[in-house]
Amino acid sequence: MSVKPEDFFKNIISHCKEYGFIFQSSEIYDGLSAVYDYGQNGAELKKNIREYWWKAMVQMHENIVGIDAAIFMHPTTWKASGHVDAFNDPLIDNKDSKKRYRADVLIEEHVAKIEDKIEKEVEKAKKRFENFDEGMFRSTNARVLEYQNKITEINSRFKTALNDGNLAEVKQIIIDCEIVCPISGSRNWTDVRQFNLMFATQLGSVSEESNTIYLRPETAQGIFVNYLNVQKTGRMKIPFGIAQTGKAFRNEIVARQFIFRMREFEQMEMQFFVKPGTEMHWYEYWKTARLKWHNSFGLGNENYKFHDHIKLAHYANAACDIEFKFPFGFKELEGIHSRTDFDLKQHEQFSGKKLQYFDNEENKSYVPYVVETSVGLDRLFLATLSAAYKEEALENGETRVVLNLPPALAPIKAAVFPLVKKDGLPELAEEIINELKYDYIVTYDEKDTVGKRYRRQDAIGTPYCITVDHQSLTDKMVTIRHRDTMQQDRIAIAEVKEFLNERVSLTSLLKKN
Ligand code: GAP
């Protein structure tokens, strides 16, 4: 069914609320901006994605272990990591609408619009010419070349301005590109200023500068400060990884697009410690491995692409994003960063403790280099749910809303229905549930017609519905209905568990990696 892109995203947000996936935080008090709660189905889906990541990273790799570090850390951590001085966003206000924007986002969106124009030229030409050669067209068409030159010029000016910390030049780029405020339509901009994204709070009861601590803006530092504890107690040999999942907090200025950019969110990060000089090999290795993991979700390989960073973060010597095609376009889903020995060296310097590794083969000590993979769990949730959400027109004229979630990630794995609420059918349905519930989240539903019950389960992505009918009492068989094809099969009750084991356990996903 064709729905306008802006309506499509709105429909997904309403669906999340209506079916218990995501609620606005403290909604009864009119909500808190860019903070969300996960409902009964959302919490399950999120937990399953987290568990899939954990198993793929920790359980499937002998040389990766997982930890769970505290959110609060010694304040010097953030001085050492560079976050106190450099974890800033460049802000700009429009004087007419009084709206605040991230200057870098305004410029990036402007570049994205020019890229769209190029794509439109290519699409038009594709329709016009037979035997169309896209590479040739891109390198010869005057209008496309003009757009490409414009993009190169903006990106190069922007990169230099950011590297030099030249905020006046960032503003000048916004003016030269004639970027207007989407609300007021005016170009009446303030100067660009830096704004630190960390949330600060006080430790204990005394409000003094020295008691200021921060809510962690990334989970990575909890891994770095524990690097030696884990290496020694786990007798880890390089290369090895430390993984963790947990909350991170950022005072995002432009918090938009639902759970895409939140102030409280969850990260799943892995720091891979390697011998200096081998980091580019491992950077490429993890790029490939992580893309393969994302592809295993089955959401469409064409929905992912790599984007190399123009401006490298203060700690990186190479960095890219895996971008996903969200309903509002391609955006960052995961970051893969070659962080050099920056973090460990900084922590050595600020703590006065050695954070080195003794390499038996080389017979020397060194500070390892680090390749990081960092994915936002909430963003991955949004990617999964939005790609799985379908509004399908059925032959009978009705619309079916279905979530084609990977079965292993679905909140509920199977729903069991008695055809009617009598004649011993509910009791047999309960027996089946009692058999399955030790391994899977399963649900019972006896209300309304079976058709309506199917729709309710489709809407939350339950891959299988099992119906018990009168014949089941004698032949000990049930009807299994498949969510995606709506096909129905008759199988023995004794085989239901095995049927689910083959289809809804994480093993099937892990084997795709
Ligand atoms: N340790 C590296 C690091 O934190 P990042 O690119 O700033 O790198 C990693 O963040 C991932 O965390 C992003 O790719 C994104 O998926 C997620 N993320 C970052 N900020 C977020 C926010 N405000 N809301 C939701 N997810 C966010």
Side-chain angles (χ1 to χ4, degrees), residues 102-114 154-155 157-158 161-162 169-175 177 179 192:
R102 268 176 59 179
D104 54 335
V105 172
L106 284 180
I107 294 171
E108 278 162 17
E109 285 179 351
H110 180 74
V111 167
K113 278 188 196 150
I114 306 176
I154 298 170
N155 280 344
R157 276 181 72 186
F158 184 41
L162 288 182
E169 168 68 354
V170 175
K171 179 178 179 183
Q172 196 55 48
I173 297 171
I174 290 175
I175 291 168
C177 290
I179 296 174
V192 178

Side-chain angles (χ1 to χ4, degrees), residues 218 250 252 260 262 267 269 332-333 339 372 374 376:
E218 63 170 10
R250 295 181 190 178
E252 298 284 0
F260 180 81
M262 300 157 90
Q267 287 186 317
E269 300 201 297
E332 174 184 348
L333 176 61
R339 292 181 77 128
E372 164 184 76
S374 173

